[in-house]
Amino acid sequence: MLLAGDAWRRTFDAMQREAWRLETLPVYRVPQEQEAVRRFLAGEPVTREATQPWFDRVQRYVASGRHVGRVHIVTQPLSDYLRFEFAYYHHNVEAGEAVRILDVTDRPNPLDGVQDFWMFDRSQVVLMHYEADGTQISRELYKGAPEPFQEYQRIALAESMPFEEYVKVLGA
């Protein structure tokens, strides 16, 4: 089953305890972000107002006792898009999202070959399909057992560091 629009939003809103994301790409080509990325690359800051819809949703989830988190696998040097996304992450963390970074610049990637996904309540998995350039193709409700994805989450969390610590180490 492919998820888009209202069905995608309902998947998030139906979450009881946790929404968790693994991001593996250095670039995501998201049409609604194009202008914000252009402004960022021109030297404008990413304001909280630019992130407000996601900020508000995360705050609501967290206030209701639910957890939102992600791990992004990165290599140095960061792509322009990742620098932009890191500016977004500052606001995500402020809203209550647990953002972590798994830097594989100087080590093997423990999740090599694992595709992007969201996992809801450690039981429902949505596979995120992208073109090689980071353009999203679709979101697909995974029909198999969630255990491999639970293990990917365990590895990602164990091997990563909180975003705030990472940017201190990075000096960003």
Side-chain angles (χ1 to χ4, degrees), residues 85-138:
E85 193 165 58
F86 274 32
Y88 249 84
Y89 285 165
H90 285 288
H91 301 294
N92 293 10
V93 169
E94 181 186 347
E97 183 177 350
V99 178
R100 297 178 67 88
I101 303 298
L102 173 51
D103 191 323
V104 295
T105 301
D106 296 320
R107 65 184 198 145
N109 180 350
L111 295 169
D112 191 37
V114 176
Q115 78 178 88
D116 283 44
F117 67 91
W118 275 97
M119 184 166 51
F120 299 91
D121 297 326
R122 298 184 46 78
S123 61
Q124 183 178 42
V125 175
V126 176
L127 302 175
M128 309 295 285
H129 300 290
Y130 295 92
E131 297 283 355
D133 71 352
T135 301
Q136 189 174 67
I137 301 168
S138 64

Side-chain angles (χ1 to χ4, degrees), residues 86 90 93 99-103 157 159-172:
F86 274 32
H90 285 288
V93 169
V99 178
R100 297 178 67 88
I101 303 298
L102 173 51
D103 191 323
L157 292 171
E159 299 286 334
S160 63
M161 69 172 56
F163 172 73
E164 303 92 327
E165 287 180 33
Y166 184 77
V167 294
K168 285 179 189 170
V169 170
L170 190 63

Side-chain angles (χ1 to χ4, degrees), residues 28-41 81 84 135:
Y28 292 92
R29 301 212 185 281
V30 181
Q32 59 268 32
E33 289 181 342
Q34 286 179 343
E35 180 60 21
V37 171
R38 186 198 63 72
R39 287 193 315 267
F40 173 78
L41 294 176
Y81 180 83
F84 163 77
T135 301

